[in-house]
Amino acid sequence: MRTERRWASRLPPTVWDSLLPALLLLNVLTMWAPAELPVAAALTVALALPLAWRRRAPLTVFGAVAAAAFVQWWAGVQLPADVALLVALYTVAANSGKRATLAAVVVAEIGAVLACLRWATDGGFLTPFVALTAMVAAAAALGRNNRTTRAYLEAARERAVAEERARITREMHDIVTHNLSVMVALADAAGYAQPSSGKAAAAMLQVAETGRQALTDMRRSLGVLRADEPDAARHPLPGIAQLESLADQMCAAGLPTELDLHGDHAQLPATAQLTVYRLVQEALTNTLKHTPAGTHAKVRIECTAETVTVDVTDTGPPTSAVTRFGNGITGMRERAAAYRGTVQAGPLPGGGWGVHTCLDLTASA
């Protein structure tokens, strides 16, 4: 049974929606007299066949079925395929808004009145009219209930996903913040323990300062999800203005970095500035990790009202992109893609390595 259910779940919805038209047509082919069969079969096809596409275009399908039902009423032929109008009404109610559902109910109710006026026996109008009206109301109510249930389940699923993301974020915040705090404390202790060693003390102080910066960024980015981080919202995320401090950090770490800014960046969106900062940070960090001593880096940012161009170059030896970036290039491409940007990284013609991207600010929305 499980295998059959899995196999059935893989079938497209159109296959299932085609079963009812097939059954209705089979009923006509087997139950009607040969003389009346052509008209009955044609009307059954016109009534039932559109149901195969009812999920894709519920309003169009309902209109087609209603038109076929009117032709059937005008021809004076009663068919089991009339149930197709109720199925189409249910689909409209399950997939469309209140106005469309109300309009479909009115059309179906008009059809019920016309059918009772034409085919009800003398003095027997009320009973079939009440029965058909009940069926119309039931089809519409079931469709609306299905729509409401799906909306509720979708909202519950989105809420569960958001809660799980928040939980993971809090766990990551706690773990990373704790370990960074320990690293900063150890670096401070090592720096105070070796005050006479100038280079070692300077390196330890730089490690501690980098760790503190990482802690600050962590609280800025993730601390808003925690109730015990009240200062997270007071500090803005890093942007282009903080690139100078980033360049100073790189210089202190052994990578002389030149920063060249063009254009007014103060009016750029905060998210775009954060993207630029992270792109430059990732590129400089990889240059620091994968190039020998004596390498110089240059960061050039050009800002306009519609674009931000980022170029990070260095004088290091050429290496493969995998060696330079690893998984970091994936994160850079994801950040740039939010602004329709593509990251180009590779060796430069005159030697060294370059990273280039252009962000389209008009695509930020």
Side-chain angles (χ1 to χ4, degrees):
M1 289 295 294
R2 291 180 180 177
T3 303
E4 293 175 356
R5 288 177 181 175
R6 285 197 298 267
W7 176 81
S9 64
R10 295 174 183 173
L11 293 176
T14 306
V15 175
W16 296 107
D17 293 339
S18 301
L19 292 179
L20 180 60
L23 292 175
L24 292 174
L25 183 59
L26 181 62
N27 175 268
V28 170
L29 294 176
T30 56
M31 300 297 294
W32 284 69
E36 301 173 344
L37 183 59
V39 175
L43 290 174
T44 298
V45 170
L47 284 166
L49 186 60
L51 295 180
W53 296 275
R54 63 188 181 91
R55 299 178 196 266
R56 297 183 181 178
L59 290 175
T60 303
V61 169
F62 179 83
V65 174
F70 178 78
V71 173
Q72 174 215 352
W73 174 84
W74 179 77
V77 181
Q78 288 183 279
L79 292 169
D82 289 335
V83 71
L85 189 62
L86 295 176
V87 176
L89 173 61
Y90 165 85
T91 307
V92 170
N95 296 277
S96 303
K98 292 182 179 180
R99 292 185 178 179
T101 302
L102 180 60
V105 168
V106 171
V107 172
E109 190 64 17
I110 292 174
V113 172
L114 293 176
C116 292
L117 289 174
R118 181 154 196 168
W119 288 303
T121 58
D122 293 338
F125 174 85
L126 184 60
T127 300
F129 173 73
V130 171
L132 290 178
T133 300
M135 286 189 284
V136 169
L142 288 174
R144 294 300 301 178
N145 182 68
N146 178 274
R147 179 181 175 86
T148 303
T149 302
R150 285 189 286 112
Y152 173 78
L153 293 177
E154 183 64 25
R157 187 181 300 110
E158 291 179 356
R159 185 167 59 251
V161 170
E163 291 175 354
E164 181 63 14
R165 287 178 177 174
R167 185 191 66 80
I168 294 174
T169 303
R170 293 187 189 99
E171 293 290 338
M172 183 173 66
H173 180 276
D174 292 342
I175 294 171
V176 177
T177 300
H178 169 73
N179 287 284
L180 280 175
S181 299
V182 174
M183 292 168 59
V184 170
L186 292 174
D188 285 337
Y192 288 125
Q194 298 290 337
S196 60
S197 179
K199 292 185 178 181
M204 287 296 100
L205 289 176
Q206 184 62 36
V207 169
E209 183 60 31
T210 303
R212 291 189 183 93
Q213 183 63 42
L215 281 170
T216 302
D217 291 345
M218 176 69 68
R219 292 191 178 99
R220 288 170 178 169
S221 301
L222 305 179
V224 292
L225 298 176
R226 294 175 54 91
D228 56 348
E229 292 290 350
D231 64 329
R234 294 204 302 261
H235 302 284
L237 292 170
I240 295 178
Q242 283 71 42
L243 286 177
E244 186 174 353
S245 299
L246 179 63
D248 293 339
Q249 278 188 336
M250 291 297 163
C251 292
L255 177 64
T257 303
E258 177 185 350
L259 182 61
D260 189 9
L261 296 177
H262 295 271
D264 182 16
H265 60 80
Q267 303 301 322
L268 297 182
T271 53
Q273 294 202 38
L274 176 62
T275 299
V276 172
Y277 182 89
R278 295 305 185 198
L279 290 173
V280 174
Q281 184 183 44
E282 178 67 23
L284 292 178
T285 300
N286 283 284
T287 298
L288 180 65
K289 288 165 56 178
H290 299 290
T291 58
T295 300
H296 290 68
K298 181 177 180 179
V299 178
R300 188 177 188 277
I301 309 293
E302 185 171 350
C303 304
T304 66
E306 297 180 350
T307 61
V308 179
T309 304
V310 181
D311 286 288
V312 181
T313 59
D314 63 57
T315 59
T319 54
S320 67
V322 175
T323 303
R324 274 292 186 106
F325 291 98
N327 293 328
I329 190 65
T330 302
M332 295 175 71
R333 285 172 175 163
E334 290 176 352
R335 290 181 182 276
Y339 290 91
R340 296 179 187 171
T342 56
V343 176
Q344 301 174 0
L348 299 175
W353 189 270
V355 176
H356 170 82
T357 188
C358 181
L359 307 182
D360 182 4
L361 300 182
T362 62
S364 60

